[in-house]
Amino acid sequence: MSSAAIKPIEQEDAYVTRLPSGERWLERKDPVVWSEWRPGAPLALDQVKKFERDGFLVLEDIFLPGEIDALIEESARLRSDATKLHQESLVTEPGTDDVRTIFDLDLQSEVFSRLAEDVRISEPVRFLLDDEIYVHQSRLNYKPGLTGKEFYWHSDFETWHAEDGMPRMRAISASILLTDNDALNGPLMLMPGSQNTFIACAGETPEDNHKTSLKQQKVGVPSAEALSKLAQDHGIEYAAGKKGTVILFDCNTMHGSNGNITPYPRSNAFFVYNAWSNQLEAPFGAAKPRPNFLGRRNPEEPVTLREGHIESTE
Amino acid sequence: MSSAAIKPIEQEDAYVTRLPSGERWLERKDPVVWSEWRPGAPLALDQVKKFERDGFLVLEDIFLPGEIDALIEESARLRSDATKLHQESLVTEPGTDDVRTIFDLDLQSEVFSRLAEDVRISEPVRFLLDDEIYVHQSRLNYKPGLTGKEFYWHSDFETWHAEDGMPRMRAISASILLTDNDALNGPLMLMPGSQNTFIACAGETPEDNHKTSLKQQKVGVPSAEALSKLAQDHGIEYAAGKKGTVILFDCNTMHGSNGNITPYPRSNAFFVYNAWSNQLEAPFGAAKPRPNFLGRRNPEEPVTLREGHIESTE
């Protein structure tokens, strides 16, 4: 399997997208859950069924309060000391210097690296994907209160496939809430069941699209009609919960979040786990791949699963 | 009582605002509920107590389904035929021609005029204000799905006092939901109890402020610190409900609404009732009053309370 930036002529594309001819709906060609459930699996049978049906699953109370505190402390430290981070990995709130996203989170923080490997997250993900896993992308999201902007609806896989070269739908995102989230402060909204439809998006990818798409996505976005129909077919749920709650969701589940005028910020750590066998090829819908902090190429080895508790490094 | 545009030198100002010297917090000097409750009053005692404590009250199931249908039909008709309306009374969604707001709603539609007079709304309001009432402002709000923008936090009274010359806090807004509203499609959010504090805002009013403030308010907005403290003191609730639900709220209750990326639009009819004895004077914080469609001057007579059912005019 090649990870070269030049697209091989014979590269097979199961999910053609960025279509000059206009949007198309395709059926998903990959399983959502890759393992057969068995007693002793790291998720209960009904959790696995729920993930398969809805394309997401919420895990509550899997961390101790002290562990959550350590993660929050670390995230405050990173944001206040952002000058020490790779500047390319930072996204600021439009119009301000406030750090909205820190990419390469596990590579820039021991505590979050430890979190990415924690069995309470990594083992269920490895089970659902039935493969060794590696971190395709990681980030710390911070949506401030009062002025937090929305993230419009999208399938992550559409972008990862088109712009990073992820071949198949065999990746799962884990969002670990670092603030209490309710319906009003811009929680993650998902369309349950939408993971089974691939919306091949209209329009060709502009060069260096990621430089603007991280602030506001314009290509790789379904049409208003498609979103209305998807919502009508599937409804919209939101994943709220106390800090420490973990939301696992499939790479193709349609999701987004509203802006947030409440004074309550919303923050989470975010790890995308890709199956080891699903490593990046040449992009399927862009001239060159996005930078490594957005889609990691040539990982050295799979995630090592770690047991025990997360502790502050101080 | 003068309603001239020139501010009398001796005009008494109970709520000085638009302060060059910066924001100030003042205690409310007016009752929230002006009547004494008595058996036979148009609201139950616990409803009156709730309004007094929280600064808002939700009335459910007061209309028949056919009445709600008639209102929704009429609102669709108005929006689709907007060229027939006074162009000044229309506000469009930033960047599009879609009608977001139609002011002077009761003056441009028989059906909505009838709604404004309906005893199921007007009688409770007249009771709470203990006075004859008139419509200070009326509008149809339509926040489209997918792209609906937020309305930032504000006290209506602050603007009505500063820019329209409303002397005292003796006005109540009624929002009649024309779409089902839930937590995700940008519902009205309120800070219960905030009606008892007047936040005198920093900054002087620019000329013709209303021409931009209807799209995005920049003056008459509390600081981030004030909003954070108010939310900490009072919390935030949201008023959701089925179409037909009515939300009554005091003129000084801090409120706002998030943007809405769900495909579900949010629409409501909105009437501001002012006490007859509280008619507009010269503006307290602006060089000249806003146009009549934003703050009605010299009303001819109080609202006539109408019983019976609302019907389509067709």
Side-chain angles (χ1 to χ4, degrees):
Chain A
M1 198 168 284
S2 160
S3 66
I6 298 160
K7 192 167 166 176
I9 290 164
E10 74 284 11
Q11 190 185 29
E12 197 185 310
D13 188 350
Y15 299 104
V16 180
T17 185
R18 310 291 166 103
L19 307 168
S21 55
E23 189 173 81
R24 279 203 311 156
W25 289 44
L26 304 174
E27 215 175 304
R28 181 188 183 109
K29 295 171 185 163
D30 298 299
V32 175
V33 174
W34 292 69
S35 291
E36 285 285 318
W37 186 82
R38 55 179 189 271
L43 290 170
L45 179 57
D46 64 339
Q47 289 179 303
V48 174
K49 284 185 172 168
K50 183 180 179 315
F51 185 85
E52 184 155 41
R53 185 190 67 213
D54 294 343
F56 72 94
L57 179 67
V58 177
L59 305 174
E60 285 175 318
D61 300 319
I62 64 172
F63 299 112
L64 298 172
E67 296 183 281
I68 300 165
D69 291 345
L71 294 171
I72 292 169
E73 250 172 57
E74 175 71 357
S75 95
R77 193 188 64 74
L78 289 168
R79 291 185 58 250
S80 68
D81 254 5
T83 50
K84 294 186 188 161
L85 303 174
H86 298 139
Q87 293 307 296
E88 200 197 30
S89 73
L90 304 179
V91 181
T92 53
E93 185 77 6
T96 77
D97 283 338
D98 295 343
V99 173
R100 172 171 161 168
T101 307
I102 301 172
F103 284 96
D104 271 348
L105 180 61
D106 61 321
L107 303 182
Q108 304 194 77
S109 156
E110 263 181 57
V111 176
F112 281 108
S113 167
R114 173 67 186 75
L115 175 65
E117 299 176 330
D118 195 282
V119 288
R120 288 164 290 184
I121 300 173
S122 57
E123 206 170 12
V125 170
R126 200 170 63 164
F127 171 78
L128 292 168
L129 297 179
D130 195 21
D131 197 356
E132 295 292 323
I133 54 177
Y134 72 97
V135 174
H136 166 69
Q137 188 194 92
S138 70
R139 59 185 200 256
L140 179 70
N141 290 313
Y142 185 86
K143 187 189 266 197
L146 299 170
T147 59
K149 295 290 179 291
E150 75 275 7
F151 277 100
Y152 198 65
W153 298 104
H154 62 285
S155 147
D156 288 325
F157 178 76
E158 198 279 341
T159 297
W160 300 338
H161 183 69
E163 301 189 28
D164 296 337
M166 185 183 283
R168 310 293 299 215
M169 294 185 184
R170 197 170 183 174
I172 289 176
S173 296
S175 171
I176 300 96
L177 304 188
L178 301 178
T179 47
D180 293 345
N181 247 220
D182 67 19
L184 299 181
N185 65 336
L188 181 65
M189 299 191 289
L190 310 107
M191 299 193 191
S194 60
Q195 76 279 5
N196 294 317
T197 304
F198 180 67
I199 301 189
C201 293
E204 289 181 81
T205 315
E207 201 176 333
D208 284 336
N209 182 43
H210 68 276
K211 290 190 180 164
T212 54
S213 71
L214 297 178
K215 298 212 178 195
Q216 197 178 10
Q217 201 167 0
K218 282 183 183 147
V219 179
V221 171
S223 65
E225 295 68 36
L227 290 171
S228 299
K229 166 127 179 54
L230 262 191
Q232 197 176 4
D233 291 352
H234 299 294
I236 295 173
E237 294 186 13
Y238 67 97
K242 290 176 305 182
K243 55 191 178 184
T245 297
V246 175
I247 302 148
L248 300 181
F249 62 103
D250 178 81
C251 57
N252 191 45
T253 306
M254 192 61 66
H255 64 284
S257 61
N258 276 322
N260 173 24
I261 70 159
T262 79
Y264 314 124
R266 183 174 82 85
S267 179
N268 57 20
F270 199 88
F271 300 106
V272 180
Y273 298 97
N274 192 18
W276 188 255
S277 61
N278 196 37
Q279 286 181 41
L280 303 187
E281 302 180 6
F284 291 84
K288 58 176 189 183
R290 300 191 300 173
N292 227 52
F293 71 90
L294 294 173
R296 216 167 278 175
R297 311 186 83 80
N298 307 317
E300 284 180 18
E301 52 184 20
V303 165
T304 308
L305 276 53
R306 307 244 180 237
E307 300 202 337
H309 294 136
I310 292 163
E311 281 168 18
S312 164
T313 47
E314 314 271 296
Chain B
M1 198 168 284
S2 159
S3 66
I6 297 159
K7 190 167 168 176
I9 289 164
E10 72 283 13
Q11 188 186 29
E12 195 185 307
D13 188 351
Y15 299 105
V16 180
T17 186
R18 308 289 165 107
L19 306 168
S21 55
E23 188 174 80
R24 279 204 311 157
W25 289 44
L26 302 174
E27 215 174 305
R28 181 187 182 109
K29 295 170 184 163
D30 297 299
V32 176
V33 174
W34 292 68
S35 289
E36 284 285 318
W37 187 83
R38 54 182 189 270
L43 291 170
L45 179 57
D46 64 339
Q47 290 177 304
V48 174
K49 284 187 173 167
K50 183 184 179 312
F51 186 86
E52 183 156 43
R53 185 191 66 211
D54 294 342
F56 73 96
L57 179 67
V58 177
L59 305 175
E60 285 174 318
D61 300 319
I62 64 173
F63 299 112
L64 297 172
E67 297 183 281
I68 300 165
D69 291 343
L71 295 171
I72 292 169
E73 250 172 58
E74 174 71 357
S75 95
R77 194 188 65 74
L78 290 167
R79 292 185 58 247
S80 68
D81 253 5
T83 50
K84 293 185 186 158
L85 303 173
H86 299 139
Q87 294 306 297
E88 200 197 30
S89 72
L90 303 179
V91 181
T92 54
E93 185 77 7
T96 77
D97 282 340
D98 296 343
V99 173
R100 172 170 161 166
T101 307
I102 301 172
F103 284 96
D104 271 350
L105 179 62
D106 61 323
L107 303 181
Q108 304 194 79
S109 156
E110 264 182 55
V111 177
F112 282 109
S113 167
R114 173 64 187 74
L115 176 64
E117 299 177 334
D118 195 280
V119 286
R120 289 164 288 184
I121 299 173
S122 58
E123 205 170 16
V125 170
R126 200 171 64 166
F127 171 79
L128 291 168
L129 297 178
D130 195 22
D131 197 355
E132 296 292 324
I133 55 177
Y134 72 98
V135 174
H136 166 69
Q137 187 194 94
S138 70
R139 59 185 200 257
L140 179 68
N141 290 315
Y142 185 86
K143 185 189 269 196
L146 298 171
T147 58
K149 297 288 181 291
E150 75 273 6
F151 278 101
Y152 199 64
W153 297 105
H154 63 285
S155 148
D156 288 324
F157 177 77
E158 198 279 342
T159 297
W160 300 339
H161 183 70
E163 301 189 28
D164 297 336
M166 184 182 285
R168 310 291 300 214
M169 293 183 186
R170 197 170 183 177
I172 288 175
S173 295
S175 172
I176 299 95
L177 303 188
L178 301 178
T179 47
D180 293 344
N181 248 222
D182 68 19
L184 299 181
N185 65 335
L188 181 66
M189 299 191 288
L190 311 105
M191 298 191 192
S194 60
Q195 75 278 6
N196 293 317
T197 304
F198 180 68
I199 301 189
C201 293
E204 288 182 83
T205 315
E207 202 175 331
D208 285 334
N209 182 43
H210 68 276
K211 289 188 182 167
T212 55
S213 71
L214 296 179
K215 299 211 178 195
Q216 198 179 8
Q217 199 166 2
K218 284 185 181 146
V219 180
V221 171
S223 66
E225 295 67 36
L227 290 172
S228 299
K229 167 129 178 54
L230 263 192
Q232 198 177 5
D233 291 353
H234 299 294
I236 295 173
E237 293 185 13
Y238 69 98
K242 288 176 306 182
K243 55 193 178 183
T245 297
V246 175
I247 303 148
L248 300 181
F249 63 100
D250 177 81
C251 57
N252 191 46
T253 305
M254 191 62 66
H255 65 285
S257 60
N258 276 322
N260 173 25
I261 69 158
T262 79
Y264 315 124
R266 184 173 82 85
S267 179
N268 57 20
F270 199 89
F271 301 106
V272 180
Y273 299 97
N274 192 18
W276 189 255
S277 61
N278 195 37
Q279 285 181 43
L280 303 187
E281 301 181 4
F284 291 84
K288 58 175 190 185
R290 301 192 299 173
N292 226 52
F293 71 89
L294 294 174
R296 217 166 277 175
R297 310 187 83 79
N298 306 317
E300 283 179 17
E301 52 185 18
V303 166
T304 309
L305 277 52
R306 307 249 179 230
E307 299 200 337
H309 294 138
I310 292 163
E311 281 167 19
S312 166
T313 46
E314 314 272 298

